[in-house]
Amino acid sequence: MLVLVAPGQGAQTPGFLTPWLDLPGAADRAAAWSEAIGLDLAHYGTKADADEIRDTSVAQPLLVAAGILSAAALGDVSPGAVAGHSVGEITAAAFAGVLDDTAALGLVRTRGLAMADAAAITKTGMSALLGGDPEVSVAHLQKLGLTPANINGAGQIVAAGTLEQLAALNEDKPEGVRKVVPLQVAGAFHTHHMAPAVDRLAEAAKALTPADPKVPYVSNKDGQAVATGAEVLERLVGQVANPVRWDLCMETFKELGVTALLEVCPGGTLTGLAKRALPGVKTLALKTPDDLDAARELIAEHA
């Protein structure tokens, strides 16, 4: 059984969309989305530098567009389940047919703008903790006033909070943590700092008519498969200010009997976690169109 997954913010790199726009029809689709959401996806995905695409309001639509374009390039895919990490949940909602592509891009544009505005209120950020015991790390983060915003499994937790709190963490790591790595994001996502964005996203969601997922949609909230489009949309709104439980998503993949995990562009982060947490599961990350043939072989074997 194959699970199709989409990465979250921080996976983007300068120029990563360039080769995908050379595929038949891709540039036209990106141009139509750009007009619909008021953001030049082709420019930011091909010419913008790292600082420009670090902007939350830019990074999030770019990631969803890249995920949809790279998945479409695979042809017909029938995964056993879909999931996404953070903003990748909107990409996964498009995979599952909960939202059409234009609706997904419109929702993520609102999400990115609202979260960027929320992040501007207080200087905040996120850092990944590598190694250590999760329970020990979570308790230590709470002592420092930080939130365990992403519990990713495979020995990785992401802390979020003010820059001062993150500086304190760098000087006072939890026992067993090998390294604290600042992430290329512009705010403390999935924490109370994002509360102002929730209302704006909820208002935008009212205008959408979600369909029920065509395949099991595994949610970041608790790793559970969600059966209705209305609940998927409700969870997409709430997750902005609540922790991502990717560890629980991977536990559900195990329970579902997943044998292969395919990560859409810009892949790498989630396959890395799966290699450590899901031994025996084959993984493949779509980075460029050169990976498509290998991905199709994986799909043929496991979908």
Side-chain angles (χ1 to χ4, degrees):
M1 175 182 154
L2 174 78
V3 60
L4 188 65
V5 299
Q9 200 164 335
Q12 73 277 7
T13 55
F16 78 101
L17 199 58
T18 301
W20 297 98
L21 293 179
D22 291 333
L23 297 178
D28 290 340
R29 294 183 74 190
W33 295 335
S34 295
E35 184 175 355
I37 68 175
L39 182 72
D40 190 342
L41 294 166
H43 166 76
Y44 285 107
T46 62
K47 298 177 181 178
D49 62 25
D51 285 339
E52 289 177 283
I53 62 173
R54 185 171 179 264
D55 182 334
T56 304
S57 65
V58 171
Q60 294 191 12
L62 266 183
L63 288 164
V64 173
I68 293 173
L69 288 175
S70 59
L74 293 167
D76 290 333
V77 184
S78 298
V82 298
H85 189 286
S86 187
V87 70
E89 287 208 290
I90 295 180
T91 317
F95 295 160
V98 175
L99 300 173
D100 65 38
D101 296 345
T102 302
L105 266 297
L107 184 64
V108 75
R109 178 60 166 155
T110 300
R111 186 185 193 269
L113 288 166
M115 291 175 73
D117 288 346
I121 295 171
T122 305
K123 290 185 178 180
T124 57
M126 304 177 81
S127 293
L129 280 63
L130 305 182
D133 178 85
E135 290 186 9
V136 172
S137 292
V138 167
H140 189 85
L141 293 179
Q142 291 170 341
K143 182 184 74 174
L144 296 176
L146 289 158
T147 299
N150 300 166
I151 301 179
N152 287 331
Q156 188 190 98
I157 291 176
V158 175
T162 67
L163 298 186
E164 292 79 9
Q165 290 167 335
L166 291 170
L169 171 65
N170 208 46
E171 296 298 320
D172 181 19
K173 295 189 290 289
E175 182 180 355
V177 169
R178 301 189 306 276
K179 194 173 183 181
V180 176
V181 181
L183 300 185
Q184 294 302 306
V185 297
F189 305 144
H190 303 290
T191 72
H192 67 278
H193 292 285
M194 292 295 109
V198 173
D199 290 341
R200 283 176 61 182
L201 199 59
E203 191 63 31
K206 289 179 183 177
L208 301 177
T209 305
D212 292 341
K214 298 174 182 176
V215 296
Y217 177 98
V218 181
S219 168
N220 284 179
K221 180 178 180 179
D222 51 14
Q224 295 302 302
V226 181
T228 70
E231 187 176 355
V232 169
L233 197 55
E234 180 182 343
R235 285 172 174 240
L236 287 175
V237 171
Q239 272 309 96
V240 168
N242 285 284
V244 169
R245 294 302 306 267
W246 191 252
D247 59 332
L248 299 181
C249 291
M250 290 196 291
E251 287 298 320
T252 296
F253 298 163
K254 287 181 188 177
E255 293 169 7
L256 291 172
V258 167
T259 56
L261 180 143
L262 176 58
E263 183 180 5
V264 297
C265 176
T269 303
L270 301 182
T271 49
L273 292 170
K275 285 175 183 177
R276 297 192 292 275
L278 299 172
V281 172
K282 291 189 177 181
T283 62
L284 193 147
L286 287 177
K287 299 178 184 293
T288 75
D290 291 341
D291 300 313
L292 288 171
D293 285 344
R296 293 186 186 109
E297 289 179 11
L298 188 76
I299 291 165
E301 292 173 8
H302 297 273

